[in-house]
Amino acid sequence: ANMMLTVTISQLENTSFIHKVSEVLQQTGFDSGQIIFDISESSFNANNTSFKAALETAEIMGIQLSIGILALG
């Protein structure tokens, strides 16, 4: 069964967040392929280097992504 985790862009931009997720996965033995990061933000800059690095690291770890852009107006 997959586990969906709602995360914010600010969490992903924090370099220690993805490392902590990796540590928890190693400690618990949980399959990273069963994790889905659910990212729902009203706006974000996909060109932000720390955000892109976190997404790339998550992808390398096998974590799936669900990104929803909320259009407010």
Side-chain angles (χ1 to χ4, degrees):
N2 289 339
M3 178 185 296
M4 185 170 285
L5 302 173
T6 302
V7 296
T8 65
I9 291 174
S10 60
Q11 285 176 303
L12 289 173
E13 290 174 338
N14 181 342
T15 55
S16 66
F17 175 77
I18 198 78
H19 295 293
K20 187 63 174 174
V21 170
S22 178
E23 287 177 14
V24 169
L25 290 172
Q26 288 177 351
Q27 291 172 356
T28 62
F30 196 83
D31 179 9
S32 61
Q34 294 179 302
I35 301 234
I36 303 168
F37 281 170
D38 180 32
I39 308 163
S40 297
E41 298 283 336
S42 58
S43 65
F44 70 91
N45 180 357
N47 292 322
N48 180 307
T49 55
S50 58
F51 177 67
K52 285 174 66 173
L55 293 183
E56 290 170 1
T57 302
E59 182 180 33
I60 290 168
M61 292 170 59
I63 295 173
Q64 302 172 58
L65 302 173
S66 170
I67 301 175
I69 308 301
L70 303 175
L72 303 174

